[in-house]
Amino acid sequence: MLLTERQTEQGLLVAVCDREVLGETFEDDAGGISLTVTEEFYGGERVDEAAVVDSLARADVANIVGTRAVTLAIEEGIVDEANVLDVGETRHAQLLRLY
């Protein structure tokens, strides 16, 4: 998986995606959703699952794309599967922690 961390005014922003979805565009015609997984936003370091879990646990805001990445976030209790979007052939989840 690819992982990027950015410090923002809203706190730690984490972007994580499956490597194979980088550069792809996914569309859900029924819902009118289009998702482009850009190098500028999602391109980051290749990391293992433990690093992804650690980063997401510290995130204030997160964007997660790809079946593996989203499944990991669900299994670790970071996101609720009911809030996951299926966009074309991939999955997408967002996380926002309110304090």
Side-chain angles (χ1 to χ4, degrees), residues 6 13 17-18 24 27-28 30 32 39 47-49 54 61-62 64-65 69-71 74-75 80-81 85 95 97 99:
R6 296 174 181 90
L13 168 64
C17 72
D18 294 355
E24 298 291 330
E27 295 184 3
D28 175 16
E39 173 76 32
V47 296
D48 62 14
E49 290 183 355
D54 176 67
V61 179
I64 310 160
V65 180
V70 171
T71 298
I74 293 167
E75 289 173 349
D80 186 332
E81 188 164 15
L85 295 175
L95 167 71
R97 285 205 172 88
Y99 299 99

Side-chain angles (χ1 to χ4, degrees), residues 2 8 23 31 33 36 39 41 43-44 49 51 53 56 58 64 78 82 84 86:
L2 299 174
T8 71
I33 298 170
T36 301
E39 173 76 32
F41 190 78
E49 290 183 355
V53 171
L56 290 174
R58 295 181 289 106
I64 310 160
I78 296 167
V84 172
D86 291 308

